[in-house]
Amino acid sequence: MITLLFDDPLIRPRLLPFTFTRPVAALRCGILTIAEKWQHWLKNEQVGYLTETYLQGKFPAGNTQGPALVINGAVCPDALLVQQVQQLQPGEALFDEQMLVAAHLADASQVAELIQDGFQRTRDVAEPVTAIKEVWHLFLRNGAEIRRDFDLLTKGRQSQPVGDAHTIVYAPENIFIEEGVKIRAAILNAEDGPIYLGRNSQVHEGAIVKGPMALCEGSHINAGAKMRGDNTVGPFSKVGGEVGNSILFGYSNKGHDGYLGNSVIGEWCNLGADTNTSNLKNNYAPVKIWSHAAGRFVNTGQQFCGLMMGDHSKCGINTMFNTGTVVGVGANIFGAGFPRNFIPSFSWGGAAGFETFRLPKVAEVAERVMARRHLAYDEAEQAIMSHVFEATIKDRVWDRATPAAPQAGVEL
């Protein structure tokens, strides 16, 4: 039976800017993406994505003929939920209140009609599910998902040894090391949560690593870094400085000193040396952040919330991000002072003002950056970026013809 993960139309817009460039199920929370979690639980080598048309070149649905399990891409699996999903009979759907969690279809080609028109036979989940419905849910639930993924990936397996006499280890039973890992004179403290070191990753000299921590394949924790827990890095990313309760998606770098807290950084991002993010307001009030879905700032209800940065965005040295800043896709930020709390996709500038970072220039940078990892900025990537550029024109207020256009992007 095939497995198809669909973008819930009520959830996907609330997960922008990250879902500008990927389906909801391709978001990483814990060690694995949501799609990878379902692959492991269902023992399915491949899953398909039911997502926006412009994303399908990179994230195809695959085979949509025959019986299928159709699963909400925002929902993270656990043992009880997987059991309920597998027990669904053809034509049955599983709901958590009003949210469709999963359905068993006799014919996957009918999925669009059934999701729109409803199911004749439904069941309710045995307990509320874990669903990523807002961007801040990614870091809020990261620690719990690291623990869950750690158990899933390491059950019945033997960890590689630390292999370094100068590394200090606390609670070694909560540390799992894959093949090819290199550790030198570090401190690994897994007393409060597991530490997972992915294949060919490296922990450099003097790094302090506190669990829960997921260092994904090919990633590096640089010398002297302070990883304060509930962090995910990679795959193929580098991190340094002080980091707490944050996620760096693949191929992104925060290689130098500076603080990153309660934040999510997309793919192919780079934070310049001594970049700092505020994650707590001076008055300790709940943080508001820009919502692409609502077109305004919304209250997260969280006292701690840092930076949300979309794919292919970068910032220069000494950049300062205020509490709850949202940066779109393909932005380049530099200069002194705090830039606005909402920086639209394809922005070029900083606190002194912005202009549009045009697609040909964005492509030049992307080609250079991806070539360093021996990857191509191919037609699928270009098509996605082109679509996002057009879809976000309305956010770049400086490009509007009307001189009196309101200046979005500053949360008061």
Side-chain angles (χ1 to χ4, degrees), residues 188-240:
L188 306 180
N189 184 351
E191 291 177 329
D192 295 332
I195 295 174
Y196 176 84
L197 303 180
R199 190 161 59 95
N200 297 328
S201 62
Q202 294 191 38
V203 182
H204 293 265
E205 296 83 356
I208 302 171
V209 182
K210 190 175 187 300
M213 172 76 210
L215 186 66
C216 299
E217 180 180 355
S219 295
H220 292 240
I221 299 177
N222 288 349
K226 298 183 283 289
M227 309 301 292
R228 292 174 47 183
D230 295 333
N231 292 310
T232 294
V233 176
F236 305 105
S237 295
K238 296 179 181 179
V239 66

Side-chain angles (χ1 to χ4, degrees), residues 41 102 134 153 245 363:
W41 278 104
E134 306 284 357
L153 291 173
N245 194 188

Side-chain angles (χ1 to χ4, degrees), residues 381-397:
E381 294 281 352
Q382 293 172 40
I384 291 171
M385 294 292 276
S386 179
H387 181 95
V388 177
F389 185 88
E390 295 299 323
T392 56
I393 286 175
K394 64 183 184 303
D395 296 330
R396 295 185 290 276
V397 295

Side-chain angles (χ1 to χ4, degrees), residues 20-319:
F20 273 135
T21 48
R22 60 178 58 78
V24 173
L27 293 169
R28 189 176 302 275
C29 184
I31 302 172
L32 303 169
T33 68
I34 298 173
E36 289 168 346
K37 297 174 196 289
W38 283 105
Q39 282 178 292
H40 278 82
W41 278 104
L42 298 174
K43 297 178 173 55
N44 192 336
E45 292 185 2
Q46 189 171 5
V47 299
Y49 297 93
L50 299 177
T51 186
E52 299 292 313
T53 301
Y54 76 93
L55 293 172
Q56 290 173 1
K58 184 177 179 180
F59 300 95
N63 179 23
T64 56
Q65 302 297 318
L69 281 176
V70 179
I71 300 171
N72 192 321
V75 175
C76 298
D78 59 31
L80 178 58
L81 178 59
V82 169
Q83 183 181 35
Q84 283 198 280
V85 169
Q86 291 177 322
Q87 289 173 348
L88 289 172
Q89 299 302 308
E92 284 189 334
L94 186 66
F95 280 80
D96 184 350
E97 296 182 346
Q98 302 301 311
M99 183 178 69
L100 173 61
V101 174
H104 183 166
L105 304 184
D107 184 357
S109 64
Q110 301 172 352
V111 61
E113 294 84 355
L114 286 169
I115 290 177
Q116 181 176 353
D117 299 333
F119 296 85
Q120 291 183 346
R121 300 195 305 276
T122 64
R123 298 185 184 185
D124 294 325
V125 293
E127 59 185 32
V129 301
T130 298
I132 306 299
K133 297 182 179 180
E134 306 284 357
V135 289
W136 57 90
H137 288 173
L138 288 164
F139 70 76
L140 278 179
R141 293 166 185 171
N142 198 47
E145 285 300 309
I146 290 173
R147 290 180 170 89
R148 187 180 288 171
D149 290 347
F150 184 90
D151 291 341
L152 179 67
L153 291 173
T154 65
K155 185 177 180 179
R157 300 177 60 210
Q158 181 67 42
S159 171
Q160 297 297 308
V162 171
D164 178 59
H166 304 290
T167 291
I168 301 171
V169 177
Y170 298 91
E173 68 277 9
N174 294 332
I175 298 173
F176 195 91
I177 301 170
E178 298 281 8
E179 293 279 354
V181 173
K182 185 176 180 180
I183 310 169
R184 291 293 181 267
I187 298 174
L188 306 180
N189 184 351
E191 291 177 329
D192 295 332
I195 295 174
Y196 176 84
L197 303 180
R199 190 161 59 95
N200 297 328
S201 62
Q202 294 191 38
V203 182
H204 293 265
E205 296 83 356
I208 302 171
V209 182
K210 190 175 187 300
M213 172 76 210
L215 186 66
C216 299
E217 180 180 355
S219 295
H220 292 240
I221 299 177
N222 288 349
K226 298 183 283 289
M227 309 301 292
R228 292 174 47 183
D230 295 333
N231 292 310
T232 294
V233 176
F236 305 105
S237 295
K238 296 179 181 179
V239 66
E242 183 180 4
V243 183
N245 194 188
S246 295
I247 302 173
L248 280 82
F249 291 170
Y251 303 100
S252 287
N253 294 329
K254 179 207 171 300
H256 305 282
D257 285 345
Y259 177 64
L260 183 71
N262 303 93
S263 298
V264 182
I265 308 299
E267 289 187 344
W268 301 108
C269 295
N270 187 72
L271 305 185
D274 203 33
T275 292
N276 285 282
T277 64
S278 170
N279 65 337
L280 174 67
K281 299 182 75 166
N282 284 354
N283 62 1
Y284 290 69
V287 178
K288 295 180 181 179
I289 69 170
W290 179 262
S291 166
H292 286 82
R296 58 180 173 82
F297 286 91
V298 298
N299 193 338
T300 66
Q302 303 301 312
Q303 195 172 64
F304 293 91
C305 186
L307 171 66
M308 307 289 133
M309 177 179 277
D311 290 6
H312 288 283
S313 287
K314 298 167 179 62
C315 67
I317 63 170
N318 300 118
T319 302

